[in-house]
Amino acid sequence: MTRYNPSQTEPEWQAAWEAAGCFTARHDPARPKYYVLEMFPYPSGRIHIGHVRNYTMGDVIARYKMSCGFSVLHPMGWDAFGMPAENAAMEQGGHPKAWTYGNIAVMRDQMKPLGLSIDWSREFATCDPEYYGQQQAMFLDMLDAGLVYRKAATVNWDPVDMTVLANEQVIDGKGWRSGAVVERRELTQWFFRISDFAGELLDALDGLDSWPEKVRLMQANWIGKSRGLQFAFSTLDAPEGFDRIEVYTTRPDTLLGASFVAISADHPLAKHLERHDPAVAGFCADCRHVGTSEEALETAEKKGMDTGIRVRHPFDPEWELPVYIANFILMDYGTGAIFGCPAHDQRDFDFATKYGLPIPAVFVSEGADEAPLAEAYVPPKTEPVRYIRGFAGAALQTGEAAVDAAIAHCEAAGVGRGVTNYRLRDWGLSRQRYWGCPIPVVHCEACGVVPERKENLPVVLPDDVTFDLPGNPLDRHPTWRDCACPKCGAPARRETDTMDTFVDSSWYYARFTAPRAATPTDAAEVDYWMNVDQYIGGIEHAILHLLYSRFFARAMHKTGHLPAKAIEPFDALFTQGMVTHEIYMTRDAAGRPVYHLPEEVERAEGGVRLKANGAAVEVIPSAKMSKSKKNVVDPVAIIRDFGADTARWFMLSDSPPERDVEWTAAGAEAAYRHLGRVWRLADEIARSDAPALPDEDAALTRAMHRTIAEVTAGIEGFAFNSAVARLYAFTNTLAKSGAGAETRRMAMRTLAQLMSPMVPHLAEEVWQMLGGDGLAVQAAWPKADPAMLVEDTVTLPIQVNGKRRSEITVPKDMSKEEVEKCALADDAVQRALNGGAPKKLIVVPGRIVNVVI
RNA sequence: GCCCGCGUGGUGGAAUGGUAGACACAGGGGACUUAAAAUCCCUAGGCCGGAAGGCCGUGCCGGUUCGAGUCCGGCCGCGGGCACCA
């Protein structure tokens, strides 16, 4: 007898699908389309078990939609520009291009055995000149449309390596390679005007009702709309030209709680003072040694320096406040200056305490008196509080109301104006790196910044570069930089900055609709395929990638590359969890940790041991897989040992897709055993000649329809683990069923279809064994018969005081009164009542009965 | 530091405010086998009890409710993001 043998049959079915052209996306106006997209991978070198999970989920949706009659687009590509390729070139020699395309080839070969329903004819990498050339064309259109501009911005500068560092390359304020203390440096850089779209990007979140609420919330907070007051303090003893300091505050109601003014070290006043005062210069230099990331700024010790300058309080000419330079004020947000109200802001409180500044309370909780504060009092803005230093509105009001009243009062008094501010900053896209899309402009001494002519695109990266020196090889390339000005023809210099890789990933979804088009998009194709019906990816992209893509789609619309309907490119979003694994650790003689791969250890009596020498292994609970901790599982080995279907089945079972899943060898083996069980069951049923048995046949048919309904709902609702559980249950039901052979064959074929999106190879195998017509992948999705789902009785739990004490089974449509009667007659209820009458009787029809005593 | 999540048996997890632990893994017991593997069957949150049954139980503390894993407030722990990692 033959056995379940995935290593032989899986490649055969993949060949059969390819021969039948099952996964070629067809622009068929007669059929509804469905566009499934998983976030494309970075070609790091090998596929990861997390990729298997991500792409399996997308594949389930794609295959399910195919069998529901949709024309499906399910493409794959590579997010191929970025730092790791340059790092590899620096560390191991070679060229980023060779490294990247080599990795892509390996990963494509590793991915294909998974049997994904991908239309590989649409594959591209963002580092293909055909792709980035179109990106350059759009950049020029956006430049023309005023969506791109240049301004100065700060970067992390490594003074030893003489290079710009990414935030992740700054560790504890030092360069990762050189160890030198990082400096902030200003460079002129390119920006997208995303902040012009802040209000629209925020408002449009409401329409994204198939996005996770948490992602919408995170984006809304990131955009950070606030209503506040912008006004100026007039200064005393300030240098010329600085007679006013503009500040922005979201809490103008606390103006009478002001204790100090703090400005950023990058504020024009700070920069002015720096030039004349060595002490200020020293302090500002210190501030600039903190990296540019908000995290670094916020977690650094809060420090300030009194400038000696004083400002007058706008409501009291006698009241003077000191002006500090502080390391936690961002020049990029608001005006780069704030007033501190220590009583109602913890950061200001800490600052005031540190520098011995007053802490006057503005409001107290409703019934309280003013008393010295041990910490800042920061109640929710919606809570009514009593204002003791208020100046507008009622004494007792909410923070919200007080802010509105304060703005109105200040505007009337001529102190500033109410403004709406956004936290969202413009998107800096310049990168001082080689392996990215060149920014297609030229710097000409006579003409200034000149866009490259479209017919000269793509501006291709030169291949002859070296990575023996830090910094951007384009900057020191002997000939590439030199060019003629597209306007006047004089000798000019190419822009050597390349684009942020987020640009590449902000429109790839549109390119997949016409990947070989001679323009960025093809109107007919984007019109048919957009939007992405289901986008799937990691929660780590909740803010930046998704927000940039939403902006870019709008910018593409404005420049004629996308229709209006595509300005929100992703109709539905699903964020899946990570795959984790235990970490196995021993220690060397010096007590340093040594990590071990999962295949190097075994479970033995009394714990986990090394296979090599039996040494006891410390097991650290599940963590995100990382090479350095060696808790990685190689999908290639799993597929070799168990087959793709086992890997797919395991990735879908047990854990809910949005949550992290732990890979365990036992779980994978269990998945394999189950698939073998299904195979044997199919084999047994195919041979059976059992006669029909009306009761058994009817029961099995009912169970089958219930399973169809449950599995369909599970797939539609991204509850793959629940769908898998129903499939387990139905497999057990089918195995034990005494129904006749014909009914069991029908049920088995249905089971194969329901399993097909998840374990497509096994499904084909079973479908074929049971005489299914054609390929299972092309069969229409089974439909549950609603009549088969109706139950005529229902079991109601009976609670006494909220605790389950008994249950009754009653006809589904029994009246409330009769249910009450049955419940009260129940033994357990009688016992509890002990002859008395219930205080209350709650009957929720079809659900529960609660007797309150 | 700020924003967003998550926390349920030995394990992964299920559960429109309505029977907590579906479905599985590991475990225990049994069948088959010369034996093992494979397979099949039974069992299974903890405590007390022979059983019937009872008490406890969804990170911790409190609240709302006839009823809370689910809603609200406060804490603890873990994870994601913080604009140049992708």
Side-chain angles (χ1 to χ4, degrees):
Chain A
M1 169 179 146
T2 49
R3 293 184 308 143
Y4 175 50
N5 186 3
S7 61
Q8 191 200 320
T9 56
E10 288 184 352
E12 290 171 8
W13 289 115
Q14 287 162 20
W17 297 329
E18 190 165 347
C22 293
F23 309 134
T24 305
R26 290 188 180 82
H27 180 154
D28 178 355
R31 281 198 300 164
K33 66 89 192 181
Y34 197 90
Y35 184 0
V36 190
L37 184 66
E38 302 100 22
M39 290 179 187
F40 64 166
Y42 179 79
S44 56
R46 295 186 69 75
I47 65 164
H48 180 277
I49 199 78
H51 295 127
V52 175
R53 192 178 191 211
N54 189 201
Y55 302 131
T56 300
M57 288 178 192
D59 203 42
V60 170
I61 299 294
R63 287 173 175 273
Y64 166 70
K65 290 292 176 181
M66 270 176 218
S67 53
C68 291
F70 289 89
S71 186
V72 169
L73 172 57
H74 185 205
M76 181 59 67
W78 310 93
D79 188 12
F81 275 135
M83 285 203 308
E86 289 190 36
N87 292 339
M90 278 184 248
E91 279 155 22
Q92 310 147 28
H95 194 283
K97 187 173 172 179
W99 184 86
T100 303
Y101 282 105
N103 285 351
I104 288 173
V106 169
M107 289 175 73
R108 188 196 299 114
D109 285 350
Q110 292 179 333
M111 219 183 265
K112 287 204 167 174
L114 282 168
L116 302 170
S117 63
I118 285 166
D119 180 355
W120 285 100
S121 73
R122 290 174 186 254
E123 177 192 357
F124 61 77
T126 55
C127 62
D128 297 341
E130 294 73 25
Y131 182 80
Y132 71 71
Q134 299 300 334
Q135 188 165 305
Q136 291 170 339
M138 283 195 294
F139 177 89
L140 295 178
D141 291 343
M142 291 176 189
L143 184 60
D144 201 39
L147 293 162
V148 197
Y149 69 104
R150 297 215 305 162
K151 70 167 177 181
T154 53
V155 293
N156 299 305
W157 179 257
D158 185 321
V160 170
D161 276 354
M162 303 287 279
T163 188
V164 176
L165 297 178
N167 283 334
E168 71 157 9
Q169 296 175 316
V170 179
I171 297 153
D172 296 330
K174 299 191 181 73
W176 64 330
R177 251 186 249 278
S178 69
V181 174
V182 168
E183 295 168 8
R184 259 185 270 163
R185 190 174 262 219
E186 280 203 341
L187 294 179
T188 302
Q189 312 216 61
W190 289 94
F191 283 83
F192 285 120
R193 290 193 192 277
I194 188 173
S195 65
D196 284 3
F197 293 76
E200 193 194 325
L201 288 167
L202 178 68
D203 294 343
L205 287 172
D206 288 340
L208 298 176
D209 41 23
S210 296
W211 281 39
E213 186 57 41
K214 61 178 171 183
V215 174
R216 293 192 287 165
L217 237 184
M218 282 191 257
Q219 292 217 351
N221 289 337
W222 185 262
I223 294 168
K225 184 178 184 172
S226 64
R227 169 110 179 121
L229 180 75
Q230 187 167 326
F231 68 99
F233 285 104
S234 56
T235 56
L236 300 162
D237 324 315
E240 215 182 305
F242 294 100
D243 49 337
R244 292 156 58 84
I245 296 176
E246 285 279 335
V247 301
Y248 173 75
T249 176
T250 57
R251 289 308 298 259
D253 58 316
T254 64
L255 200 43
L256 296 183
S259 174
F260 59 91
V261 168
I263 63 173
S264 164
D266 297 317
H267 191 277
L269 174 57
K271 285 186 172 169
H272 178 91
L273 295 173
E274 195 177 7
R275 282 195 288 276
H276 302 94
D277 183 340
V280 172
F283 182 77
C284 286
D286 266 1
C287 290
R288 290 192 192 106
H289 285 322
V290 178
T292 56
S293 75
E294 192 174 313
E295 186 192 4
L297 289 169
E298 288 281 333
T299 51
E301 191 195 346
K302 309 289 180 287
K303 276 193 239 172
M305 182 188 188
D306 190 347
T307 59
I309 295 169
R310 296 292 176 265
V311 295
R312 258 196 260 279
H313 195 283
F315 288 161
D316 180 358
E318 304 298 307
W319 186 354
E320 292 179 12
L321 300 165
V323 177
Y324 278 75
I325 298 170
N327 65 351
F328 55 87
I329 308 298
L330 293 166
M331 194 57 221
D332 292 322
Y333 183 64
T335 61
I338 59 133
F339 76 81
C341 174
H344 305 295
D345 181 289
Q346 191 57 42
R347 195 178 57 185
D348 293 348
F349 185 93
D350 296 341
F351 191 83
T353 307
K354 184 166 180 175
Y355 294 104
L357 298 163
I359 305 177
V362 175
F363 48 77
V364 292
S365 66
E366 211 174 323
D369 293 320
E370 183 177 4
L373 293 165
E375 57 179 11
Y377 173 52
V378 192
K381 261 182 161 175
T382 50
E383 191 179 302
V385 291
R386 191 163 63 81
Y387 279 76
I388 52 177
R389 287 191 183 82
F391 57 90
L396 189 69
Q397 60 182 336
T398 64
E400 267 167 357
V403 167
D404 290 342
I407 291 172
H409 179 92
C410 288
E411 283 185 339
V415 177
R417 63 205 160 84
V419 293
T420 297
N421 223 343
Y422 293 94
R423 202 185 76 101
L424 181 66
R425 311 198 294 256
D426 276 337
W427 170 11
L429 68 118
S430 296
R431 296 292 180 272
Q432 293 71 40
R433 272 183 255 290
Y434 166 78
W435 194 233
C437 171
I439 295 174
V441 299
V442 166
H443 299 274
C444 168
E445 225 163 280
C447 311
V449 176
V450 183
E452 183 55 271
R453 288 166 188 273
K454 274 209 179 161
E455 57 266 33
N456 292 341
L457 298 184
V459 174
V460 180
L461 287 170
D463 285 337
D464 55 334
V465 286
T466 57
F467 293 88
D468 45 352
L469 298 168
N472 182 356
L474 295 177
D475 260 342
R476 52 173 191 266
H477 191 279
T479 55
W480 188 83
R481 266 178 61 152
D482 303 330
C483 62
C485 170
K487 211 183 211 172
C488 71
R493 199 168 46 78
R494 251 179 224 300
E495 170 70 66
T496 57
D497 282 358
T498 52
M499 293 187 205
D500 178 9
T501 56
F502 274 124
V503 182
D504 312 337
S505 56
S506 286
W507 73 287
Y508 75 110
Y509 51 86
R511 185 68 183 169
F512 275 136
T513 65
R516 315 288 171 234
T519 46
T521 57
D522 175 294
E525 296 299 322
V526 278
D527 198 58
Y528 179 72
W529 290 112
M530 286 299 285
N531 297 342
V532 176
D533 293 277
Q534 182 65 61
Y535 196 33
I536 305 169
I539 186 67
E540 67 273 21
H541 297 293
I543 297 174
L544 293 179
H545 162 60
L546 290 165
L547 190 63
Y548 288 155
S549 295
R550 295 178 60 220
F551 159 73
F552 212 78
R554 283 167 170 78
M556 284 174 76
H557 171 58
K558 280 212 163 23
T559 49
H561 296 294
L562 276 182
K565 68 165 185 179
I567 60 169
E568 283 300 341
F570 311 122
D571 281 353
L573 172 70
F574 187 84
T575 56
Q576 99 279 7
M578 298 180 301
V579 183
T580 63
H581 197 279
E582 291 175 330
I583 296 170
Y584 305 113
M585 189 186 81
T586 54
R587 289 184 186 276
D588 67 9
R592 286 183 299 256
V594 179
Y595 297 102
H596 305 278
L597 289 165
E599 56 263 33
E600 293 168 354
V601 303
E602 61 189 349
R603 307 228 159 230
E605 273 175 66
V608 176
R609 305 195 165 273
L610 275 189
K611 280 181 187 166
N613 58 13
V617 172
E618 196 179 323
V619 178
I620 300 165
S622 229
K624 179 175 170 172
M625 290 189 187
S626 82
K627 267 187 201 160
S628 62
K629 300 279 168 65
K630 289 201 176 177
N631 62 334
V632 289
V633 174
D634 184 357
V636 175
I638 301 294
I639 294 166
R640 185 193 59 220
D641 294 346
F642 297 108
D645 281 345
T646 291
R648 297 171 57 120
W649 186 253
F650 180 54
M651 283 291 90
L652 295 169
S653 34
D654 290 351
S655 278
E658 68 277 13
R659 231 192 280 179
D660 293 350
V661 61
E662 186 182 3
W663 183 276
T664 62
E669 280 158 27
Y672 181 71
R673 277 204 302 275
H674 179 74
L675 298 184
R677 193 150 53 226
V678 171
W679 194 95
R680 284 191 305 276
L681 181 61
D683 185 60
E684 181 251 303
I685 289 174
R687 296 154 190 275
S688 168
D689 54 3
L693 273 176
D695 286 358
E696 298 279 343
D697 288 1
L700 182 60
T701 306
R702 289 179 80 84
M704 181 186 87
H705 281 275
R706 203 163 44 242
T707 304
I708 293 170
E710 287 166 344
V711 171
T712 305
I715 291 174
E716 294 264 5
F718 262 88
F720 303 128
N721 55 324
S722 296
V724 167
R726 295 341 300 162
L727 289 166
Y728 267 109
F730 185 59
T731 305
N732 291 338
T733 303
L734 180 52
K736 288 174 188 161
S737 168
E742 276 318 306
T743 305
R744 291 182 86 213
R745 277 195 266 275
M746 173 197 66
M748 192 73 217
R749 276 196 301 273
T750 303
L751 177 62
Q753 279 187 281
L754 295 176
M755 291 177 77
S756 177
M758 305 171 184
V759 285
H761 312 87
L762 173 65
E764 294 289 0
E765 199 77 359
V766 172
W767 183 254
Q768 186 185 52
M769 286 156 86
L770 289 152
D773 204 17
L775 290 166
V777 67
Q778 291 173 325
W781 191 252
K783 278 202 167 54
D785 178 355
M788 293 283 195
L789 304 177
V790 179
E791 301 284 346
D792 37 2
T793 61
V794 61
T795 300
L796 297 178
I798 308 219
Q799 295 182 334
V800 175
N801 289 337
K803 282 187 180 160
R804 184 186 169 281
R805 281 296 119 102
S806 181
E807 63 182 35
I808 52 173
T809 300
V810 297
K812 194 184 161 57
D813 49 3
M814 189 186 242
S815 74
K816 215 168 163 176
E817 291 70 31
E818 276 186 88
V819 172
E820 283 180 12
K821 217 180 287 171
C822 292
L824 288 176
D826 185 82
D827 283 352
V829 175
Q830 284 292 315
R831 226 178 306 141
L833 281 173
N834 201 17
K839 265 195 211 151
K840 201 168 177 181
L841 193 54
I842 289 145
V843 177
V844 183
R847 295 242 68 129
I848 203 163
V849 178
N850 191 7
V851 184
V852 185
I853 293 171

